[in-house]
């Protein structure tokens, strides 16, 4: 006996071709979206791990109210760490945003130049690429802070600012109203030195094999200073990005399932 489905299935596909085409397209897009998410997740983690060696990213940092004396710095480095100056000054721009100015870093937390060139002369500045995009700035444009006008020569990414958090306790970063930038040593010294933040980066002389074996830096604790590890901040950033991607994928799948039900029932 021949199955009645032999004729029914072709007729069903022919009469409801549009409905099944929509379902097929939605399923293909969903599979592609989820597969892309899984690939991007792995790539993000590899890039995160590789960046520590490539840009010599700090293991942690601390701030002081006054600049460390050579004796204090030497005393801290007895804890088997190397301490680097990474001072910055925050100033408002005429567009209402706040820029955190740094000198160029050549030893620790190195700068990734993404477009243009690094500032070499007075009046030149390299700004964070994300901040520039969000404020519709490009190489060749100018920004003004107080009476000083800077010409943008390059777009950069600072390895210790993978996300533009102004404060570590911020739940979300704002790359429109806050950015980071590199200026020449001369221009940095010409900024309002009263606002200098004495920020120090430190790196282990010999990195512990695991996080559980990381040593406390007793000399810093004795000075009453705090030293959040930059690795913890970066991991939080990666985790936040992962949650956002996963949330987007979940919402997309729910939308697709809803469209499928409408297609089947409609």
């Amino acid at each position: 006996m021949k199955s009645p489905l032999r004729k029914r299935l072709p007729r069903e596909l022919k009469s409801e071709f549009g409905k099944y085409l929509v379902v097929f397209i939605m399923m293909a897009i969903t599979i592609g979206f989820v597969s892309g998410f899984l690939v991007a997740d792995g790539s993000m983690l590899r890039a995160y791990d590789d960046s520590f060696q490539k840009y010599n990213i700090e293991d942690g940092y601390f701030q002081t109210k006054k600049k460390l004396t050579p004796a204090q710095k030497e005393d801290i480095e007895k804890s088997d760490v190397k301490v680097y100056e990474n001072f910055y000054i925050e100033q408002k721009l005429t567009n209402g945003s706040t820029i955190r100015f740094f000198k160029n870093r050549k030893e620790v937390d190195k700068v990734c130049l993404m477009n243009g060139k690094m500032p070499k002369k007075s009046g030149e500045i390299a700004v964070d690429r994300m901040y520039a995009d969000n404020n519709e700035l490009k190489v060749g444009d100018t920004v003004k802070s107080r009476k000083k006008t800077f010409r943008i020569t390059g777009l950069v990414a600072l390895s210790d600012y993978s996300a533009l958090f102004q404060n570590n306790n911020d739940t979300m970063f704002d790359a429109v109203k806050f950015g980071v930038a590199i200026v020449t040593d001369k221009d940095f010294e010409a900024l309002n030195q009263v606002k200098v933040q004495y920020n120090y980066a430190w790196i282990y002389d010999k990195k512990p094999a695991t996080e559980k074996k990381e040593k406390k830096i007793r000399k810093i604790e004795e000075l009453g200073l705090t030293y959040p590890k930059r690795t913890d901040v970066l991991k939080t950033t990666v985790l936040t990005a992962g949650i956002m991607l996963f949330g987007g994928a979940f919402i997309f799948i729910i939308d697709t399932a809803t469209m499928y039900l409408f297609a089947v029932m409609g």
Side-chain angles (χ1 to χ4, degrees):
M1 182 179 177
K2 295 181 178 180
S3 172
L5 294 178
R6 292 178 59 187
K7 293 183 178 180
R8 182 180 176 183
L9 286 177
R11 284 201 307 267
E12 177 74 15
L13 289 173
K14 185 177 180 180
S15 62
E16 301 289 349
F17 177 76
K19 177 172 66 178
Y20 290 113
L21 178 63
V22 170
V23 173
F24 173 78
I25 292 173
M26 288 298 101
M27 291 182 66
I29 292 175
T30 301
I31 293 171
F33 189 90
V34 174
S35 299
F37 165 74
L38 295 175
V39 172
D41 181 59
S43 299
M44 186 184 298
L45 291 174
R46 284 194 297 273
Y48 163 78
D49 292 332
D50 293 344
S51 65
F52 279 86
Q53 182 175 3
K54 183 177 181 180
Y55 298 106
N56 198 29
I57 298 178
E58 65 196 34
D59 290 311
Y61 72 97
F62 61 91
Q63 290 186 352
T64 60
K65 290 185 177 180
K66 296 182 179 180
K67 186 175 181 179
L68 292 177
T69 64
Q72 288 174 321
K73 183 178 178 182
E74 183 179 348
D75 200 27
I76 293 174
E77 291 182 336
K78 290 178 181 178
S79 296
D80 297 325
V81 297
K82 177 68 175 176
V83 177
Y84 302 87
E85 292 182 0
N86 200 10
F87 302 162
Y88 65 83
I89 297 174
E90 287 188 3
Q91 286 191 183
K92 289 277 189 181
L93 298 185
T94 53
N95 64 4
S97 63
T98 299
I99 286 290
R100 184 170 289 179
F101 293 89
F102 289 91
K103 298 178 182 179
N104 192 13
R105 296 94 164 274
K106 298 179 180 178
E107 294 183 292
V108 68
D109 297 334
K110 296 177 182 178
V111 179
C112 174
L113 179 63
M114 308 186 77
N115 188 16
K117 60 181 182 180
M118 295 297 293
K120 296 181 179 180
K121 299 185 296 184
S122 178
E124 295 183 339
I125 188 173
V127 300
D128 181 84
R129 181 198 59 80
M130 184 182 296
Y131 169 83
D133 287 346
N134 289 338
N135 287 276
E136 298 182 349
L137 297 171
K138 60 183 183 302
V139 174
D141 289 347
T142 59
V143 293
K144 188 174 182 180
S145 177
R146 298 190 175 185
K147 297 181 180 180
K148 181 71 172 180
T149 299
F150 296 93
R151 184 175 66 85
I152 299 175
T153 61
L155 303 180
V156 298
L158 272 60
S159 54
D160 52 335
Y161 285 87
S162 55
L164 292 176
F165 288 99
Q166 187 170 8
N167 301 298
N168 286 338
N169 56 355
D170 291 343
T171 55
M172 183 59 68
F173 62 88
D174 185 354
V176 177
K177 293 296 184 181
F178 174 74
V180 291
I182 300 294
V183 293
T184 63
D185 292 359
K186 181 179 179 180
D187 279 345
F188 185 87
E189 299 299 332
L191 296 172
N192 186 359
Q193 296 300 304
V194 175
K195 294 187 176 182
V196 172
Q197 297 296 313
Y198 297 105
N199 189 76
Y200 293 87
W202 57 266
I203 293 180
Y204 286 112
D205 290 336
K206 184 178 181 181
K207 293 186 184 296
T210 63
E211 288 189 13
K212 292 183 179 180
K213 294 183 180 180
E214 288 184 354
K215 299 179 291 183
K216 296 289 186 180
I217 304 181
R218 300 187 182 279
K219 295 299 180 181
I220 298 179
E221 290 181 334
E222 290 170 5
L223 290 174
L225 307 174
T226 58
Y227 54 101
K229 292 184 295 180
R230 186 69 68 181
T231 51
D232 292 339
V233 178
L234 291 174
K235 285 178 181 177
T236 301
T237 301
V238 173
L239 179 61
T240 301
I243 292 173
M244 292 175 67
L245 285 172
F246 179 79
F250 179 75
I251 293 173
F252 183 81
I253 291 171
I254 295 297
D255 287 342
T256 302
T258 303
M259 293 180 66
Y260 170 77
L261 290 176
F262 274 118
V264 172
M265 297 174 63

